[in-house]
PDB file of all heavy atoms in Angstrom:
ATOM      1  N   LEU L  16    -119.154 -39.392 214.680  1.00  0.00           N
ATOM      2  CA  LEU L  16    -118.287 -40.538 214.203  1.00  0.00           C
ATOM      3  C   LEU L  16    -119.173 -41.779 213.937  1.00  0.00           C
ATOM      4  O   LEU L  16    -119.927 -42.141 214.875  1.00  0.00           O
ATOM      5  CB  LEU L  16    -117.169 -40.805 215.118  1.00  0.00           C
ATOM      6  CG  LEU L  16    -116.074 -41.695 214.627  1.00  0.00           C
ATOM      7  CD1 LEU L  16    -115.286 -41.117 213.398  1.00  0.00           C
ATOM      8  CD2 LEU L  16    -115.072 -41.925 215.663  1.00  0.00           C
ATOM      9  N   SER L  17    -119.254 -42.359 212.797  1.00  0.00           N
ATOM     10  CA  SER L  17    -119.958 -43.578 212.535  1.00  0.00           C
ATOM     11  C   SER L  17    -119.045 -44.775 213.047  1.00  0.00           C
ATOM     12  O   SER L  17    -117.974 -44.722 212.977  1.00  0.00           O
ATOM     13  CB  SER L  17    -120.346 -43.622 211.054  1.00  0.00           C
ATOM     14  OG  SER L  17    -120.947 -44.870 210.732  1.00  0.00           O
ATOM     15  N   HIS L  18    -119.818 -45.896 213.181  1.00  0.00           N
ATOM     16  CA  HIS L  18    -118.987 -47.183 213.491  1.00  0.00           C
ATOM     17  C   HIS L  18    -118.450 -47.861 212.205  1.00  0.00           C
ATOM     18  O   HIS L  18    -117.666 -48.733 212.253  1.00  0.00           O
ATOM     19  CB  HIS L  18    -119.849 -48.137 214.346  1.00  0.00           C
ATOM     20  CG  HIS L  18    -120.845 -48.861 213.504  1.00  0.00           C
ATOM     21  ND1 HIS L  18    -122.008 -48.318 212.930  1.00  0.00           N
ATOM     22  CD2 HIS L  18    -120.885 -50.094 213.043  1.00  0.00           C
ATOM     23  CE1 HIS L  18    -122.725 -49.184 212.300  1.00  0.00           C
ATOM     24  NE2 HIS L  18    -122.004 -50.312 212.267  1.00  0.00           N
ATOM     25  N   HIS L  82    -108.597 -59.351 217.089  1.00  0.00           N
ATOM     26  CA  HIS L  82    -107.846 -58.195 217.474  1.00  0.00           C
ATOM     27  C   HIS L  82    -108.794 -57.074 217.885  1.00  0.00           C
ATOM     28  O   HIS L  82    -108.680 -56.325 218.825  1.00  0.00           O
ATOM     29  CB  HIS L  82    -107.071 -57.639 216.278  1.00  0.00           C
ATOM     30  CG  HIS L  82    -106.094 -56.634 216.505  1.00  0.00           C
ATOM     31  ND1 HIS L  82    -104.834 -56.711 217.066  1.00  0.00           N
ATOM     32  CD2 HIS L  82    -106.254 -55.260 216.363  1.00  0.00           C
ATOM     33  CE1 HIS L  82    -104.215 -55.641 217.129  1.00  0.00           C
ATOM     34  NE2 HIS L  82    -105.124 -54.598 216.794  1.00  0.00           N
ATOM     35  N   MET L  83    -109.971 -56.802 217.140  1.00  0.00           N
ATOM     36  CA  MET L  83    -110.886 -55.771 217.357  1.00  0.00           C
ATOM     37  C   MET L  83    -111.849 -55.994 218.530  1.00  0.00           C
ATOM     38  O   MET L  83    -112.420 -55.060 219.076  1.00  0.00           O
ATOM     39  CB  MET L  83    -111.680 -55.473 216.125  1.00  0.00           C
ATOM     40  CG  MET L  83    -110.929 -54.892 215.038  1.00  0.00           C
ATOM     41  SD  MET L  83    -110.361 -53.228 215.428  1.00  0.00           S
ATOM     42  CE  MET L  83    -108.622 -53.311 215.321  1.00  0.00           C
ATOM     43  N   ASN L  84    -111.877 -57.284 219.012  1.00  0.00           N
ATOM     44  CA  ASN L  84    -112.717 -57.576 220.178  1.00  0.00           C
ATOM     45  C   ASN L  84    -111.964 -57.236 221.515  1.00  0.00           C
ATOM     46  O   ASN L  84    -112.463 -57.246 222.592  1.00  0.00           O
ATOM     47  CB  ASN L  84    -113.133 -59.160 220.185  1.00  0.00           C
ATOM     48  CG  ASN L  84    -114.482 -59.283 219.496  1.00  0.00           C
ATOM     49  OD1 ASN L  84    -115.329 -58.477 219.610  1.00  0.00           O
ATOM     50  ND2 ASN L  84    -114.438 -60.257 218.609  1.00  0.00           N
ATOM     51  N   ARG L  85    -110.624 -56.916 221.469  1.00  0.00           N
ATOM     52  CA  ARG L  85    -109.882 -56.580 222.520  1.00  0.00           C
ATOM     53  C   ARG L  85    -110.322 -54.993 222.853  1.00  0.00           C
ATOM     54  O   ARG L  85    -110.655 -54.218 222.184  1.00  0.00           O
ATOM     55  CB  ARG L  85    -108.392 -56.664 222.344  1.00  0.00           C
ATOM     56  CG  ARG L  85    -107.983 -58.052 221.996  1.00  0.00           C
ATOM     57  CD  ARG L  85    -106.507 -57.979 221.634  1.00  0.00           C
ATOM     58  NE  ARG L  85    -106.004 -59.295 221.260  1.00  0.00           N
ATOM     59  CZ  ARG L  85    -104.730 -59.456 220.747  1.00  0.00           C
ATOM     60  NH1 ARG L  85    -103.882 -58.485 220.555  1.00  0.00           N
ATOM     61  NH2 ARG L  85    -104.453 -60.660 220.518  1.00  0.00           N
ATOM     62  N   LEU L  86    -109.920 -54.702 224.110  1.00  0.00           N
ATOM     63  CA  LEU L  86    -110.091 -53.320 224.546  1.00  0.00           C
ATOM     64  C   LEU L  86    -109.015 -52.414 223.861  1.00  0.00           C
ATOM     65  O   LEU L  86    -107.820 -52.935 223.775  1.00  0.00           O
ATOM     66  CB  LEU L  86    -110.002 -53.218 226.071  1.00  0.00           C
ATOM     67  CG  LEU L  86    -111.185 -53.683 226.833  1.00  0.00           C
ATOM     68  CD1 LEU L  86    -110.910 -53.724 228.371  1.00  0.00           C
ATOM     69  CD2 LEU L  86    -112.461 -52.976 226.505  1.00  0.00           C
ATOM     70  N   PRO L  87    -109.089 -51.189 223.728  1.00  0.00           N
ATOM     71  CA  PRO L  87    -108.025 -50.374 223.248  1.00  0.00           C
ATOM     72  C   PRO L  87    -106.902 -50.268 224.176  1.00  0.00           C
ATOM     73  O   PRO L  87    -106.998 -50.415 225.391  1.00  0.00           O
ATOM     74  CB  PRO L  87    -108.674 -48.915 223.119  1.00  0.00           C
ATOM     75  CG  PRO L  87    -110.165 -49.219 222.973  1.00  0.00           C
ATOM     76  CD  PRO L  87    -110.405 -50.396 223.832  1.00  0.00           C
ATOM     77  N   SER L  90    -105.170 -45.943 222.625  1.00  0.00           N
ATOM     78  CA  SER L  90    -106.156 -44.819 222.229  1.00  0.00           C
ATOM     79  C   SER L  90    -107.476 -45.214 222.880  1.00  0.00           C
ATOM     80  O   SER L  90    -107.683 -46.229 223.439  1.00  0.00           O
ATOM     81  CB  SER L  90    -106.276 -44.784 220.729  1.00  0.00           C
ATOM     82  OG  SER L  90    -104.904 -44.633 220.054  1.00  0.00           O
ATOM     83  N   ASP L  91    -108.380 -44.113 222.596  1.00  0.00           N
ATOM     84  CA  ASP L  91    -109.817 -44.406 222.960  1.00  0.00           C
ATOM     85  C   ASP L  91    -110.580 -45.282 222.094  1.00  0.00           C
ATOM     86  O   ASP L  91    -111.626 -45.743 222.422  1.00  0.00           O
ATOM     87  CB  ASP L  91    -110.479 -43.067 223.240  1.00  0.00           C
ATOM     88  CG  ASP L  91    -109.775 -42.135 224.295  1.00  0.00           C
ATOM     89  OD1 ASP L  91    -109.266 -42.726 225.261  1.00  0.00           O
ATOM     90  OD2 ASP L  91    -109.771 -40.919 224.134  1.00  0.00           O
ATOM     91  N   TYR L  92    -110.052 -45.289 220.809  1.00  0.00           N
ATOM     92  CA  TYR L  92    -110.783 -46.172 219.818  1.00  0.00           C
ATOM     93  C   TYR L  92    -109.923 -47.235 219.200  1.00  0.00           C
ATOM     94  O   TYR L  92    -108.690 -47.211 219.481  1.00  0.00           O
ATOM     95  CB  TYR L  92    -111.193 -45.190 218.608  1.00  0.00           C
ATOM     96  CG  TYR L  92    -112.306 -44.380 218.901  1.00  0.00           C
ATOM     97  CD1 TYR L  92    -112.075 -43.086 219.539  1.00  0.00           C
ATOM     98  CD2 TYR L  92    -113.616 -44.728 218.581  1.00  0.00           C
ATOM     99  CE1 TYR L  92    -113.169 -42.205 219.747  1.00  0.00           C
ATOM    100  CE2 TYR L  92    -114.678 -43.868 218.719  1.00  0.00           C
ATOM    101  CZ  TYR L  92    -114.501 -42.564 219.404  1.00  0.00           C
ATOM    102  OH  TYR L  92    -115.549 -41.794 219.680  1.00  0.00           O
ATOM    103  N   LYS L  93    -110.495 -48.135 218.507  1.00  0.00           N
ATOM    104  CA  LYS L  93    -109.866 -49.115 217.681  1.00  0.00           C
ATOM    105  C   LYS L  93    -110.343 -48.799 216.209  1.00  0.00           C
ATOM    106  O   LYS L  93    -111.488 -48.516 215.940  1.00  0.00           O
ATOM    107  CB  LYS L  93    -110.186 -50.573 218.107  1.00  0.00           C
ATOM    108  CG  LYS L  93    -109.622 -50.942 219.513  1.00  0.00           C
ATOM    109  CD  LYS L  93    -110.339 -52.204 219.930  1.00  0.00           C
ATOM    110  CE  LYS L  93    -111.832 -51.921 220.259  1.00  0.00           C
ATOM    111  NZ  LYS L  93    -112.597 -53.040 220.636  1.00  0.00           N
ATOM    112  N   VAL L  94    -109.426 -48.937 215.347  1.00  0.00           N
ATOM    113  CA  VAL L  94    -109.744 -48.819 213.947  1.00  0.00           C
ATOM    114  C   VAL L  94    -109.283 -49.884 213.070  1.00  0.00           C
ATOM    115  O   VAL L  94    -108.115 -50.251 213.212  1.00  0.00           O
ATOM    116  CB  VAL L  94    -109.213 -47.310 213.278  1.00  0.00           C
ATOM    117  CG1 VAL L  94    -109.533 -47.237 211.886  1.00  0.00           C
ATOM    118  CG2 VAL L  94    -109.660 -46.334 214.213  1.00  0.00           C
ATOM    119  N   TYR L  95    -110.119 -50.368 212.134  1.00  0.00           N
ATOM    120  CA  TYR L  95    -109.635 -51.316 211.126  1.00  0.00           C
ATOM    121  C   TYR L  95    -110.064 -50.804 209.732  1.00  0.00           C
ATOM    122  O   TYR L  95    -111.074 -50.326 209.486  1.00  0.00           O
ATOM    123  CB  TYR L  95    -110.058 -52.728 211.392  1.00  0.00           C
ATOM    124  CG  TYR L  95    -111.546 -53.071 211.417  1.00  0.00           C
ATOM    125  CD1 TYR L  95    -112.107 -53.528 210.219  1.00  0.00           C
ATOM    126  CD2 TYR L  95    -112.243 -52.872 212.430  1.00  0.00           C
ATOM    127  CE1 TYR L  95    -113.481 -53.929 210.226  1.00  0.00           C
ATOM    128  CE2 TYR L  95    -113.625 -53.114 212.538  1.00  0.00           C
ATOM    129  CZ  TYR L  95    -114.252 -53.585 211.300  1.00  0.00           C
ATOM    130  OH  TYR L  95    -115.557 -53.903 211.231  1.00  0.00           O
ATOM    131  N   PHE L 114    -120.088 -58.583 212.546  1.00  0.00           N
ATOM    132  CA  PHE L 114    -119.251 -57.585 213.290  1.00  0.00           C
ATOM    133  C   PHE L 114    -119.877 -56.301 213.334  1.00  0.00           C
ATOM    134  O   PHE L 114    -119.882 -55.456 214.239  1.00  0.00           O
ATOM    135  CB  PHE L 114    -117.800 -57.577 212.844  1.00  0.00           C
ATOM    136  CG  PHE L 114    -116.776 -57.260 213.845  1.00  0.00           C
ATOM    137  CD1 PHE L 114    -116.711 -57.985 215.018  1.00  0.00           C
ATOM    138  CD2 PHE L 114    -115.805 -56.299 213.530  1.00  0.00           C
ATOM    139  CE1 PHE L 114    -115.710 -57.644 216.027  1.00  0.00           C
ATOM    140  CE2 PHE L 114    -114.742 -55.968 214.433  1.00  0.00           C
ATOM    141  CZ  PHE L 114    -114.721 -56.700 215.682  1.00  0.00           C
ATOM    142  N   GLU L 117    -123.171 -55.883 215.445  1.00  0.00           N
ATOM    143  CA  GLU L 117    -122.934 -55.730 216.947  1.00  0.00           C
ATOM    144  C   GLU L 117    -121.476 -55.338 217.117  1.00  0.00           C
ATOM    145  O   GLU L 117    -120.709 -56.139 217.702  1.00  0.00           O
ATOM    146  CB  GLU L 117    -123.246 -56.946 217.629  1.00  0.00           C
ATOM    147  CG  GLU L 117    -124.719 -57.514 217.538  1.00  0.00           C
ATOM    148  CD  GLU L 117    -124.881 -58.742 218.093  1.00  0.00           C
ATOM    149  OE1 GLU L 117    -124.136 -59.334 218.847  1.00  0.00           O
ATOM    150  OE2 GLU L 117    -126.118 -59.338 217.941  1.00  0.00           O
ATOM    151  N   PRO L 118    -121.122 -54.109 216.783  1.00  0.00           N
ATOM    152  CA  PRO L 118    -119.668 -53.630 216.912  1.00  0.00           C
ATOM    153  C   PRO L 118    -119.254 -53.499 218.293  1.00  0.00           C
ATOM    154  O   PRO L 118    -120.115 -53.005 219.052  1.00  0.00           O
ATOM    155  CB  PRO L 118    -119.617 -52.423 216.025  1.00  0.00           C
ATOM    156  CG  PRO L 118    -121.026 -51.906 216.149  1.00  0.00           C
ATOM    157  CD  PRO L 118    -121.955 -53.002 216.260  1.00  0.00           C
ATOM    158  N   PRO L 119    -118.082 -53.903 218.607  1.00  0.00           N
ATOM    159  CA  PRO L 119    -117.547 -53.597 219.923  1.00  0.00           C
ATOM    160  C   PRO L 119    -117.595 -52.013 220.202  1.00  0.00           C
ATOM    161  O   PRO L 119    -117.549 -51.233 219.158  1.00  0.00           O
ATOM    162  CB  PRO L 119    -116.156 -54.182 219.972  1.00  0.00           C
ATOM    163  CG  PRO L 119    -116.174 -55.120 218.724  1.00  0.00           C
ATOM    164  CD  PRO L 119    -117.063 -54.576 217.829  1.00  0.00           C
ATOM    165  N   ALA L 120    -117.631 -51.627 221.428  1.00  0.00           N
ATOM    166  CA  ALA L 120    -117.600 -50.125 221.632  1.00  0.00           C
ATOM    167  C   ALA L 120    -116.324 -49.463 221.154  1.00  0.00           C
ATOM    168  O   ALA L 120    -115.253 -50.023 221.200  1.00  0.00           O
ATOM    169  CB  ALA L 120    -117.748 -49.921 223.205  1.00  0.00           C
ATOM    170  N   ASN L 121    -116.551 -48.248 220.644  1.00  0.00           N
ATOM    171  CA  ASN L 121    -115.353 -47.375 220.198  1.00  0.00           C
ATOM    172  C   ASN L 121    -114.557 -48.091 219.028  1.00  0.00           C
ATOM    173  O   ASN L 121    -113.364 -48.095 219.093  1.00  0.00           O
ATOM    174  CB  ASN L 121    -114.485 -46.982 221.338  1.00  0.00           C
ATOM    175  CG  ASN L 121    -115.174 -45.971 222.264  1.00  0.00           C
ATOM    176  OD1 ASN L 121    -116.381 -45.771 222.054  1.00  0.00           O
ATOM    177  ND2 ASN L 121    -114.414 -45.487 223.194  1.00  0.00           N
ATOM    178  N   THR L 122    -115.246 -48.870 218.297  1.00  0.00           N
ATOM    179  CA  THR L 122    -114.531 -49.461 217.160  1.00  0.00           C
ATOM    180  C   THR L 122    -114.976 -48.980 215.844  1.00  0.00           C
ATOM    181  O   THR L 122    -116.241 -48.905 215.610  1.00  0.00           O
ATOM    182  CB  THR L 122    -114.795 -51.082 217.099  1.00  0.00           C
ATOM    183  OG1 THR L 122    -114.291 -51.574 218.306  1.00  0.00           O
ATOM    184  CG2 THR L 122    -113.995 -51.746 216.002  1.00  0.00           C
ATOM    185  N   VAL L 123    -114.181 -48.605 214.864  1.00  0.00           N
ATOM    186  CA  VAL L 123    -114.496 -48.081 213.667  1.00  0.00           C
ATOM    187  C   VAL L 123    -114.005 -48.678 212.499  1.00  0.00           C
ATOM    188  O   VAL L 123    -112.801 -49.151 212.360  1.00  0.00           O
ATOM    189  CB  VAL L 123    -113.975 -46.444 213.567  1.00  0.00           C
ATOM    190  CG1 VAL L 123    -114.233 -45.952 212.188  1.00  0.00           C
ATOM    191  CG2 VAL L 123    -114.431 -45.591 214.668  1.00  0.00           C
ATOM    192  N   ALA L 124    -114.937 -49.163 211.533  1.00  0.00           N
ATOM    193  CA  ALA L 124    -114.459 -49.903 210.454  1.00  0.00           C
ATOM    194  C   ALA L 124    -114.461 -49.015 209.199  1.00  0.00           C
ATOM    195  O   ALA L 124    -115.225 -48.077 209.017  1.00  0.00           O
ATOM    196  CB  ALA L 124    -115.591 -51.006 210.138  1.00  0.00           C
TER     197      ALA L 124
END
Side-chain angles (χ1 to χ4, degrees):
L16 193 62
S17 175
H18 77 284
H82 188 85
M83 287 296 121
N84 273 316
R85 299 174 182 172
L86 292 172
S90 302
D91 295 328
Y92 284 88
K93 295 163 293 176
V94 176
Y95 64 96
F114 209 52
E117 299 178 7
N121 290 7
T122 300
V123 178

